[in-house]
Amino acid sequence: MGLGGVFKAVRRRVDRLRIPFMYGSGKATDAELAQVVRGRVVVISGASYGIGEATARRVARCGGIVVMLARSVDRLAEVTAEIRADGGDAHAYPLDLTDPVAVEKAVATILGEHGHVDVLVNNAGKSIRRSITLSERRLKDFERTIKINYLGPVSLTLALLPSMREHGGGHVVNVATWSLRLPPAPFWAAYSASKGAFDLWFRTFGQEVRSAGITTTSVYMGLVRTRMTAPSDFLDDFPCLSPAQAAGLLGDAIVYRKPRIEAPWLGPAAMLYNPARTLVERRAAAKYPFQEDTPSSKAAVRRSEQRAA
């Protein structure tokens, strides 16, 4: 093994030690999760890849009835078939969350086939790292993230709410982002604003439905190595959670039903940010001219402009 291999091995070992502190780690065992989900209906959006797929596989392994939602029809069918082959109870419902009519129809079908929903995991999302400069003539960058990250989960949650009320309760999980607990960062305006909108809506929702027996958990998820992070090549060497580790945090959300799950340092960091807000944001503004959009983001804009020409 050369020096490069030794360096990578050491870095992986260090990352294994620091990732739990950076992002938190799941505590609930499979046995604990099984006590909560066995025989119960768990709806997971964005279930064909990444965090959603890993969570669906774990819930199914623990005896839950997994209702899987995603736009990628073929991949959704493939994952569902694999879960069933392993003895799990999984059901695929192809769905575009940006279509409110489709959401209503899908929920009607789910309730007709399963009777009710015990747990909803709002996981589907759209990430985009792009500067305001590149988005000057691209309002669609903001429209897309708002539809998928905000209006989509609002639509799904509202559609399931009457059934949860009638059933006497339920639990709803929001896969939020740790960036909402940190100062705003350049290049992430579209993503952070849309995730922040749903976070505020969701926390308000939690206050209003708790008396109906419906509990909520916001999981302020750190970086997870999935298809969403792939275009940001600068993250290639950055320590990230695996989808399975992220699914561990969602397992905690389902089992313990705390209002908030986040890395241990995020709370103190958020408290320190407010007094230093002006200084922190001015420092970010000073650094911005020395940063740039990723090559993949620039290429996407060029392709879009060429098609429009």
Side-chain angles (χ1 to χ4, degrees):
M1 181 185 295
L3 287 177
V6 172
F7 176 75
K8 288 182 179 179
V10 171
R11 188 178 64 193
R12 283 196 297 268
R13 183 167 296 182
V14 171
D15 286 347
R16 280 197 296 270
L17 295 174
R18 63 176 176 164
I19 280 176
F21 174 76
M22 290 178 67
Y23 304 126
S25 59
K27 304 294 191 299
T29 65
D30 280 357
E32 290 176 308
L33 183 60
Q35 288 182 336
V36 175
V37 302
R38 184 178 290 115
R40 292 184 171 86
V41 181
V42 181
V43 174
I44 303 172
S45 67
S48 57
Y49 289 97
I51 301 171
E53 176 189 351
T55 303
R57 291 183 184 276
R58 188 182 182 205
V59 169
R61 188 171 66 245
C62 292
I65 302 168
V66 185
V67 172
M68 303 170 62
L69 311 178
R71 289 185 298 173
S72 46
V73 178
D74 293 340
R75 176 61 180 167
L76 185 63
E78 179 183 344
V79 175
T80 303
E82 290 173 357
I83 291 175
R84 288 178 173 176
D86 289 337
D89 190 352
H91 307 264
Y93 296 86
L95 176 63
D96 181 356
L97 282 175
T98 66
D99 183 347
V101 175
V103 171
E104 291 286 348
K105 289 182 179 178
V107 167
T109 301
I110 291 166
L111 295 178
E113 295 178 358
H114 300 282
H116 67 275
V117 168
D118 297 289
V119 179
L120 166 62
V121 179
N122 282 309
N123 166 71
K126 170 72 175 177
S127 178
I128 180 173
R129 181 188 185 273
R130 185 166 294 151
S131 65
I132 298 294
T133 300
L134 279 189
S135 295
E136 284 177 0
R137 296 178 178 84
R138 294 175 57 87
L139 183 61
K140 63 183 179 182
D141 287 346
F142 303 95
E143 292 173 334
R144 282 188 304 168
T145 51
I146 287 171
K147 287 179 180 179
I148 297 174
N149 295 340
Y150 176 39
L151 297 178
V154 166
S155 177
L156 180 60
T157 305
L158 290 179
L160 285 168
L161 179 57
S163 173
M164 284 189 169
R165 287 188 190 276
E166 291 174 10
H167 189 61
H171 186 57
V172 187
V173 178
N174 171 31
V175 181
T177 170
W178 69 337
S179 66
L180 300 179
R181 303 281 286 151
L182 298 169
F187 299 96
W188 295 100
Y191 176 70
S192 295
S194 59
K195 293 292 284 186
F198 185 66
D199 178 60
L200 286 174
W201 181 91
F202 186 72
R203 286 156 55 196
T204 304
F205 167 84
Q207 295 170 6
E208 296 190 19
V209 300
R210 191 169 186 83
S211 61
I214 301 169
T215 52
T216 59
T217 300
S218 298
V219 181
Y220 293 95
M221 192 72 72
L223 294 172
V224 184
R225 201 167 302 285
T226 66
R227 295 191 313 160
M228 284 179 62
T229 59
S232 300
D233 51 8
F234 67 94
L235 293 175
D236 289 348
D237 295 326
F238 200 83
C240 296
L241 292 164
S242 68
Q245 289 172 318
L249 293 171
L250 296 190
D252 284 7
I254 295 170
V255 171
Y256 304 129
R257 302 196 173 196
K258 296 179 180 179
R260 183 173 69 218
I261 291 177
E262 63 186 11
W265 58 273
L266 272 179
M271 291 177 62
L272 291 172
Y273 164 61
N274 282 330
R277 174 174 175 173
T278 299
L279 177 63
V280 170
E281 295 185 6
R282 283 182 177 173
R283 182 172 181 270
K287 290 173 61 180
Y288 171 73
F290 303 98
Q291 300 170 302
E292 60 179 342
D293 287 278
T294 60
S296 59
S297 186
K298 293 177 181 178
V301 172
R302 283 197 301 270
R303 287 193 299 269
S304 178
E305 291 174 346
Q306 289 168 358
R307 287 194 297 267

